[in-house]
Amino acid sequence: MMNGSLPTVSVVVPTYQHAAFIGQCLDGILMQQTSFPIEVLLGDDGSTDGTREICLRYGREHPGKVKVLLHEQEQRNPAHPPGRDNLITLLNSAEGRYIARCDGDDYWTDPTMLQKQVDLLETRPKVAGCFNWVQIVQEPGGELGRIYGDHQGKLVFQVQDTISELPICHPAGFVYRRSALLRLPEWLKEVPSADLAMFTLVADTGDLACIPQLMGIYRKHTGGITMAASHSGIRYHLNRVMLWLYVDRHLRYRYTTSCTPLIRFHWQRITWETTPRQRIRHLMVLAGKIPGWFLRKPAITIHFLRDAIRR
């Protein structure tokens, strides 16, 4: 931190065009009542709607706690999903023993959230990360949606639980040991839905524990990342195939039996909506990125090829 002492928790806040929301996000972080120091790494990704000015004001008002990292739109790698380079920079800049995240359009509602999470992690060394419940709020209108992280009484989770079509929790409710993901894999820059991969990679180093309390809000609106084209249609399914191929390889194929059904599910959806030529092109792209997976799985690869050429 800027006062010379290392923080216990680094809170990363990626933001872009969130002028209507970023103040509430930062107030929810700054209201946290903790017995330990935190740092807030606030990364604006080239906003033009006034978000950047709000970030700079918070940085001036909280010089020992809020650090503003400014990026420009031309700095983005067009091959990476929106906001990914900003997020990676923030994570690589974190110095805390634990890492929390709250995107600029989400917010925390409980001032004791970080204290509860750190207390759990400090007393349970086998737990690599913990999460609380986070509820969807649909904007405009404020309609309440489903609650992320509510698993009907189950409180401890392993790697297999994270390899799923739906995320085990929401990033705004997740805190993990920085040592569990000290070096981010290069492929994380490429895949949309990197949150799914990060939950799995952290879980590979220890259990994930749930604090069954609602302490955060995920604001869903037309400007959010999940409303982008990469989260719908053929591109969505291709991205999910690529995600689980990378994850399976990264985990040294120890969880292939969990990853393969998801890969097959999304590949099947692709075959339903594409021509043979398109399917072959998609398959070539996937095989070019993760050739080792296809070489290790000849039976599945032949199945994919048959699906690709059938009319």
Side-chain angles (χ1 to χ4, degrees), residues 97-98 121-122 124-125 127-128 175-181:
R97 190 158 67 251
Y98 306 106
L121 291 165
E122 292 278 275
R124 297 171 63 179
V127 172
V175 175
Y176 64 94
R177 300 182 191 274
R178 185 162 66 97
S179 59
L181 201 52

Side-chain angles (χ1 to χ4, degrees), residues 5 42-43 87 91 95 118 121 134 146 148 156 202-203 205 224 232 250 259 284 305:
S5 62
L42 179 52
L87 175 61
L91 293 172
E95 296 186 306
V118 169
L121 291 165
V134 173
R146 76 180 182 91
Y148 282 78
V156 180
V202 171
T205 70
S232 62
H250 187 91
C259 293
M284 289 177 64
L305 283 169

Side-chain angles (χ1 to χ4, degrees), residues 131-134 147-154 157 168-169 210 212:
F131 60 89
N132 55 257
W133 298 348
V134 173
I147 295 176
Y148 282 78
D150 183 358
H151 295 277
Q152 304 299 308
K154 183 175 179 178
F157 304 84
I168 195 170
C169 62
C210 174

